[in-house]
Amino acid sequence: MGIIDSIGNLVMKSRMEELENSVNNPQRTQEKVLSNLLETAKNTVYGREYRFKDIKNYRQFQEQVPLANYEDLLPYIEKILKGEQNMLWPTPIKWFAKSSGTTGAKSKVVPVSIEGLEQCHYQGGRDMLALYINNYPDAKLFSGKNLSIGGSQENNFSNNKNGYYTANISAIVMKNLPFWAQFGRTPGLEVTMMNNWEEKIKKIAEITIEQNVTSLAGSPMWMLLLLQHIIREQKIDHIQDIWPNLEVFFHGSVSFAPYRPLFENLDRNNSLRYLEIFNATEGFFGLQDQKHDPSLLLMLNYGIYYEFIPEKEFLLEEPSVVPLHEVEAGRNYSMVISTNSGLWRYKIGDTIKFTSTSPYRFIITGRTKHCINVFGEDLFVEHAEKALSIACKKTGAILRDFTAAPFFYERQKKGYHEWLVEFVQSPHDLKEFTAILDVELGDLNDDYAAKRKENIAIEAPLVREMASGTFYQWLKRKNKLGGQHKIPRLSNSREFVEELLELQRNLQTEL
């Protein structure tokens, strides 16, 4: 191991003591976070409005400060954009993260403070490396470059005299990295901030094939497209033919399960390691800390105070809310966060299930709005991805992308779920694939099974195989290539399904 790796590994290992302290004392850590947030923001407009200075404990916080969605905080955000400060957070806000959500959803801009960058997003990056090195003492990350795919910077505000900028959170993080961190990553900011995704991927490939890349970071979907481009253009079989010292892919944004077989096809001898992170627009929430456990460790000391809404109350106007120490393993919760960027009791819409409460580990199960519940089936992304994975395995298929929506009742026919699936490798029998998917959804979800029993409320699902590249073309036509843009997996509306079906018909006509 070289001297650079030795020094880097030593620095990262020193972080483990503080991390372990927060993990071993979760309630005390979270109480301290809440106290610091309230004390810091007590003289902001929002803090004065809800009397932060009078709040002494969590119950008072819960009683005095209302749950908020984006629309509730938007009047304060708009005032910041017009030049007013000290609205939600006392330090000046210069950056706004553009929430990618899913394609077709209205964009939101979320304030990002200097504390949010330093104490949350950057601390998450440091802990990501510390946990990786703790699990793999032989790591040699620092002898090479980290290849990161970020979003583009977009100056959307006409009132430039105020100096506000909006971008994907990945671009904001990269733009503000200290010089020593910039030195360790590739490509440079000029390429990272390119808006044209297809030109960007060509430029990234051109630059990085000449470098010693030891780690990758980004969304699986966009990283896969880059790797496939490099392998195709360089006429090689495995990505190690270009980067022999590549050892790990830090991935997030979407579930890795559908993409893992695709990465393994590009990986010689399955030597590449994988570590999942949960770094959202609103904050850095979790890191995979165990080699063989896909659960994520909830990060408790990043200036984020957590609360949770139980699954049965996701869509209620006034749901019950519990603090971290009252959650139970095995149950679905929607996350509510208060942050050091000025989001207060903010319902972000992400849903998680705790696999352990000592320490607090969880898996991401989807979004409160990304489910199908037209017929009372409560079908979440977690169920869909697991069932699809099993159906693929049993029928020799490799999945690329999918989305699903209900087909509503007709005069003499019950409703059903329509699935649009794009394969890298098609199943040997699509009818068998559909039947397995149906059975597995029932095994994973009692509500679905009850509605499907003897076709009492839902007919058998319909799976349509989409032409290769359909989802990519859909994103391209919406100007949503790259960054953290995601395919909407499940929806109660047929909007996305109908758009994709229309696109496929148009593409077939063009051919």
Side-chain angles (χ1 to χ4, degrees):
M1 184 180 294
I3 188 170
I4 295 178
D5 279 311
S6 297
I7 294 172
N9 289 6
L10 184 63
V11 171
M12 290 300 112
K13 286 178 182 178
S14 68
R15 169 63 191 152
M16 289 301 298
E17 184 176 344
E18 183 179 346
L19 180 59
E20 289 170 357
N21 181 58
S22 68
V23 169
N24 294 331
N25 300 280
Q27 189 168 347
R28 187 172 67 189
T29 299
Q30 279 284 277
E31 288 173 353
K32 184 177 179 180
V33 167
L34 179 59
S35 178
N36 288 341
L37 289 173
L38 293 171
E39 176 64 25
T40 303
K42 65 183 180 182
N43 292 321
T44 62
V45 170
Y46 203 83
R48 292 195 301 270
E49 185 175 345
Y50 293 104
R51 308 189 316 278
F52 282 9
K53 65 181 179 61
D54 298 331
I55 298 175
K56 306 301 181 185
N57 54 51
Y58 169 67
R59 292 305 169 194
Q60 282 184 281
F61 177 64
Q62 187 183 48
E63 291 168 2
Q64 287 183 209
V65 183
L67 288 174
N69 54 33
Y70 184 73
E71 288 68 30
D72 296 321
L73 296 181
L74 184 57
Y76 303 91
I77 293 172
E78 288 178 334
K79 288 182 179 180
I80 302 173
L81 296 174
K82 291 177 181 177
E84 299 183 44
Q85 289 289 354
N86 201 41
M87 299 301 298
L88 296 167
W89 191 250
T91 56
I93 302 295
K94 177 182 178 182
W95 289 94
F96 287 83
K98 188 174 182 181
S99 177
S100 58
T102 54
T103 303
K106 185 178 180 181
S107 295
K108 304 172 183 178
V109 289
V110 178
V112 180
S113 70
I114 188 64
E115 292 88 351
L117 282 174
E118 292 289 345
Q119 299 169 18
C120 183
H121 291 286
Y122 292 155
Q123 189 59 66
R126 289 189 287 268
D127 286 347
M128 176 185 76
L129 296 176
L131 287 168
Y132 176 73
I133 290 167
N134 188 60
N135 281 329
Y136 301 98
D138 62 338
K140 298 179 181 179
L141 295 183
F142 302 106
S143 62
K145 299 277 190 178
N146 169 259
L147 193 166
S148 303
I149 297 183
S152 60
Q153 179 181 338
E154 301 173 44
N155 188 350
N156 289 339
F157 304 114
S158 57
N159 191 5
N160 289 331
K161 66 180 182 181
N162 291 325
Y164 300 122
Y165 300 93
T166 181
N168 292 330
I169 188 61
S170 56
I172 293 174
V173 168
M174 291 180 191
K175 180 80 171 179
N176 291 281
L177 282 172
F179 77 93
W180 56 267
Q182 297 283 12
F183 180 76
R185 61 168 304 278
T186 189
L189 284 177
E190 183 178 349
V191 174
T192 297
M193 299 299 173
M194 289 175 64
N195 288 323
N196 186 310
W197 164 254
E198 292 180 328
E199 289 301 316
K200 183 194 305 193
I201 200 171
K202 292 177 183 177
K203 193 66 176 176
I204 291 174
E206 178 184 323
I207 292 170
T208 59
I209 60 173
E210 302 296 333
Q211 297 178 327
N212 177 27
V213 173
T214 54
S215 63
L216 307 173
S219 167
M221 178 165 54
W222 305 117
M223 186 61 71
L224 180 66
L225 289 173
L226 171 65
L227 300 186
Q228 289 174 333
H229 172 83
I230 290 174
I231 284 178
R232 183 172 60 252
E233 292 299 310
Q234 298 299 312
K235 297 180 174 59
I236 57 176
D237 295 322
H238 303 100
I239 201 61
Q240 288 89 349
D241 294 331
I242 291 292
W243 301 316
N245 298 317
L246 180 64
E247 59 178 271
V248 61
F249 175 32
F250 301 105
H251 60 86
S253 180
V254 296
S255 170
F256 190 56
Y259 296 97
R260 189 172 192 122
L262 305 178
F263 276 85
E264 289 175 347
N265 282 346
L266 309 181
D267 176 17
R268 183 189 294 116
N269 300 324
N270 289 332
S271 61
L272 191 62
R273 298 161 179 163
Y274 303 98
L275 188 146
E276 184 170 2
I277 64 175
F278 186 8
N279 187 19
T281 301
E282 300 85 357
F284 202 123
F285 304 133
L287 282 163
Q288 184 180 345
D289 68 319
Q290 303 289 302
K291 287 183 181 180
H292 305 298
D293 183 353
S295 301
L296 306 181
L297 184 69
L298 188 66
M299 311 313 288
L300 304 175
N301 62 339
Y302 285 8
I304 300 174
Y305 185 76
Y306 296 98
E307 299 173 84
F308 301 91
I309 300 172
E311 179 178 327
K312 294 300 182 183
E313 304 194 35
F314 282 175
L315 303 180
L316 297 183
E317 288 189 13
E318 297 184 7
S320 61
V321 183
V322 298
L324 179 64
H325 64 270
E326 293 183 15
V327 301
E328 300 175 14
R331 296 187 62 187
N332 254 332
Y333 294 93
S334 174
M335 296 176 67
V336 176
I337 58 172
S338 298
T339 77
N340 51 9
S341 284
L343 300 178
W344 297 102
R345 304 199 75 204
Y346 181 65
K347 298 183 288 185
I348 64 173
D350 289 293
T351 63
I352 67 173
K353 179 187 292 183
F354 284 95
T355 58
S356 166
T357 56
S358 182
Y360 287 98
R361 292 196 181 99
F362 66 94
I363 58 172
I364 304 166
T365 55
R367 302 272 299 173
T368 53
K369 295 182 179 179
H370 299 168
C371 65
I372 302 178
N373 195 29
V374 170
F375 312 111
E377 62 274 56
D378 276 333
L379 185 66
F380 285 88
V381 174
E382 176 194 19
H383 308 133
E385 290 177 336
K386 284 184 178 179
L388 284 166
S389 178
I390 294 170
C392 282
K393 187 174 182 179
K394 290 185 176 181
T395 61
I398 299 177
L399 180 71
R400 173 171 281 140
D401 273 312
F402 76 91
T403 192
F407 194 96
F408 301 104
Y409 293 101
E410 295 179 337
R411 178 167 295 182
Q412 293 183 334
K413 188 175 182 180
K414 299 182 177 72
Y416 57 89
H417 294 167
E418 185 171 10
W419 298 74
L420 308 187
V421 185
E422 185 177 326
F423 296 101
V424 173
Q425 181 172 300
S426 299
H428 53 66
D429 186 325
L430 189 60
K431 288 185 179 179
E432 182 183 353
F433 178 93
T434 304
I436 294 171
L437 173 65
D438 189 26
V439 170
E440 294 299 331
L441 288 172
D443 288 345
L444 292 164
N445 183 332
D446 291 339
D447 290 322
Y448 179 89
K451 304 303 185 296
R452 280 286 296 121
K453 186 176 181 180
E454 298 178 356
N455 295 337
I456 189 170
I458 314 175
E459 298 280 356
L462 171 65
V463 176
R464 295 186 188 275
E465 183 170 358
M466 305 300 284
S468 179
T470 302
F471 283 85
Y472 180 87
Q473 289 298 324
W474 182 50
L475 288 167
K476 182 177 180 180
R477 294 186 184 204
K478 288 179 170 290
N479 196 30
K480 297 289 185 180
L481 294 178
Q484 293 175 298
H485 299 299
K486 304 186 249 318
I487 301 294
R489 297 308 194 190
L490 302 178
S491 176
N492 280 324
S493 164
R494 288 189 57 81
E495 176 187 357
F496 304 124
V497 164
E498 294 296 346
E499 286 181 2
L500 280 158
L501 290 172
E502 178 65 21
L503 174 60
Q504 175 150 280
R505 286 191 290 268
N506 291 340
L507 291 173
Q508 289 173 341
T509 301
E510 291 171 9
L511 293 175

